[in-house]
């Protein structure tokens, strides 16, 4: 299946990064969000990232402008008519995602693949909102998208082999490494990462050590590039809580119980770096 035009839904941290790497690889990208402000913010981050590549001598100014020229902003889903692949990176909420996918299924041509960047929601359930479950797939990028090499590719129950192969091929063209996984809560990445982060939060909660000490242990002792609490702030504490709840509910197992301190921080609006405060202060 040949792919030329891609629509990315959501111009936030993940969607913006996905749009950037797709445009850099030569694909025409329709970047969609709810309003012009969100699109302008997304495009400003992409422009800043590309300018840095120019400063570092990894890209010419001409290539930067050509890359930006391949991105078209849109606030409606109608552009799905023109694309071969949609990558959805909207908020992590099953109701919102199923509504978006049902609409896309109406608008997009029959050949269009509908992928989601969900970090833990079931692909099979999202696919059931459409009449093309064989064309549904998970394409889970890591944050920050322009830097991280992995794309976890998740097969839903009905995903066609041909669709998997197309997505695997595109991932390589984006200069990333595809890893195939099956559709279970949290897939592989978040099933392993989030319980570690949750345990680090329990370690603060129980007074075993300070956030700084815990992060230092994991950075210097395990060679992690960031400690788990810094990483939690960077991902967003609301996202961490949501993923733990998805694991707990999906497996029906209290070993995934979110730490009460994580709930408390989220209730307080301490969402990590994006809100200015989480385990650390960013103001
Ligand atoms: N966007 C684009 N580029 C970025 C960036 C961002 N947000 N943050 C850092 N970079 C780039 C920098 O510009 C720099 O590039 P140059 O080589 O051009 O200088 C490069 O990354 C390295 O950055 P720094 O030297 O400033 O800092 P660093 O060495 O600490 O690297 C990092 C930053 C790559 C983020 C590193 O700390 C890291 O790997 N952290 C862990 C990230 C991680 O675990 N991500 C997965 C999160 S989980 C997830 O995404 C899944 C989910 O569902 C929740």
């Amino acid at each position: 299946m040949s792919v030329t035009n891609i629509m990315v839904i959501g111009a936030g941290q993940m969607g913006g990064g996905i749009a950037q790497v797709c445009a850099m690889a030569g694909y025409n990208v329709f970047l969609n969000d709810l309003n012009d402000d969100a699109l302008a913010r997304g495009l400003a981050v992409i422009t800043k990232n590309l300018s840095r590549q120019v400063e570092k001598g990894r890209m010419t100014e001409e290539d930067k402008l050509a890359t930006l020229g391949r991105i078209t902003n849109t606030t409606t889903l109608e552009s799905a008519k023109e694309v071969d692949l949609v990558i959805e990176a909207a908020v992590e909420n099953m109701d919102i995602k199923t509504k978006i996918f049902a609409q896309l299924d109406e608008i997009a041509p029959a050949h269009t693949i509908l992928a989601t960047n969900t970090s833990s929601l079931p692909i099979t359930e999202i696919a059931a909102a459409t009449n093309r479950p064989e064309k549904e797939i998970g394409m889970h990028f890591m944050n920050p998208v322009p830097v991280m090499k992995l794309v976890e590719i998740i097969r839903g129950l009905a995903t066609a082999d041909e669709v998997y192969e197309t997505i695997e091929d595109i991932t390589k063209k984006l200069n990333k490494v595809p890893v195939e996984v099956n559709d279970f809560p949290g897939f592989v990445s978040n099933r392993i990462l989030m319980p570690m982060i949750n345990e680090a939060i329990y370690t603060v909660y129980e007074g075993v050590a300070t956030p700084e000490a815990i992060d230092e242990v994991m950075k210097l002792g395990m060679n992690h590039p960031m400690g788990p609490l810094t990483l939690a702030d960077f991902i967003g504490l609301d996202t961490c809580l949501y993923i733990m709840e998805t694991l707990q509910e999906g497996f029906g197992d209290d070993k995934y119980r979110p730490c009460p301190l994580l709930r408390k921080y989220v209730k307080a609006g301490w969402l990590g770096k994006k809100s200015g405060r989480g385990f650390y202060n960013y103001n």
Side-chain angles (χ1 to χ4, degrees):
M1 291 164 102
S2 95
V3 170
T4 312
N5 297 339
I6 299 178
M7 182 175 190
V8 178
I9 299 180
Q13 212 173 21
M14 298 305 288
I18 295 167
Q20 179 187 324
V21 296
C22 290
M24 283 171 75
Y27 293 103
N28 299 318
V29 178
F30 289 91
L31 180 59
N32 170 273
D33 210 313
L34 295 174
N35 57 56
D36 290 333
D37 280 355
L39 287 168
R41 279 197 300 274
L43 211 62
V45 174
I46 295 173
T47 307
K48 190 172 146 221
N49 286 346
L50 294 177
S51 298
R52 187 173 165 82
Q53 297 303 314
V54 175
E55 275 164 34
K56 290 248 164 181
R58 297 188 195 121
M59 182 184 247
T60 63
E61 181 66 21
E62 212 175 29
D63 281 346
K64 173 186 136 184
L65 295 176
T67 301
L68 288 171
R70 282 192 284 275
I71 302 177
T72 306
N73 284 348
T74 167
T75 52
T76 111
L77 293 182
E78 287 302 310
S79 313
K81 275 195 181 112
E82 298 177 50
V83 305
D84 313 296
L85 165 66
V86 178
I87 307 173
E88 173 274 327
V91 289
E92 287 288 88
N93 175 301
M94 190 48 116
D95 286 345
I96 294 175
K97 286 204 198 286
T98 47
K99 276 193 193 113
I100 291 175
F101 276 83
Q103 273 178 277
L104 289 170
D105 191 31
E106 295 277 312
I107 299 167
H111 76 275
T112 304
I113 297 174
L114 305 180
T116 172
N117 176 56
T118 182
S119 53
S120 62
L121 293 171
I123 308 303
T124 308
E125 194 176 333
I126 297 171
T130 74
N131 292 310
R132 58 177 97 189
E134 72 291 350
K135 294 213 163 59
E136 298 276 339
I137 195 159
M139 214 179 168
H140 184 209
F141 290 81
M142 301 293 128
N143 186 17
V145 177
V147 182
M148 304 297 282
K149 280 289 184 194
L150 174 70
V151 179
E152 206 177 18
I153 304 183
I154 306 106
R155 280 180 184 266
L157 202 57
T159 307
D161 286 345
E162 192 193 12
V163 169
Y164 177 81
E165 282 150 21
T166 304
I167 295 300
E168 185 180 47
D169 184 50
I170 291 170
T171 300
K172 289 179 186 160
K173 289 193 176 120
L174 301 181
N175 200 20
K176 309 233 171 259
V177 179
V179 175
E180 179 181 358
V181 313
N182 285 320
D183 187 19
F184 284 96
F187 317 129
V188 171
S189 55
N190 279 321
R191 183 167 175 175
I192 297 174
L193 174 67
M194 280 304 156
M196 182 191 73
I197 286 177
N198 197 44
E199 201 58 32
I201 301 171
Y202 269 112
T203 314
V204 180
Y205 179 61
E206 291 169 7
V208 178
T210 62
E212 289 82 358
I214 293 163
D215 277 350
E216 201 74 341
V217 166
M218 297 306 286
K219 269 193 344 190
L220 301 184
M222 283 74 191
N223 250 358
H224 290 191
M226 282 176 166
L229 299 165
T230 304
L231 183 56
D233 275 358
F234 171 74
I235 292 168
L237 301 187
D238 48 345
T239 304
C240 294
L241 176 58
Y242 191 74
I243 295 171
M244 285 310 294
E245 287 172 341
T246 305
L247 291 172
Q248 188 185 28
E249 197 200 320
F251 290 113
D253 191 333
D254 269 358
K255 81 176 177 188
Y256 300 108
R257 184 169 70 102
C259 179
L261 188 64
L262 174 60
R263 284 195 188 284
K264 195 174 193 172
Y265 276 25
V266 172
K267 283 212 174 95
W270 294 10
L271 305 182
K273 210 170 167 195
K274 65 183 168 190
S275 75
R277 178 145 197 191
F279 289 97
Y280 298 94
N281 224 321
Y282 299 90
N283 292 317

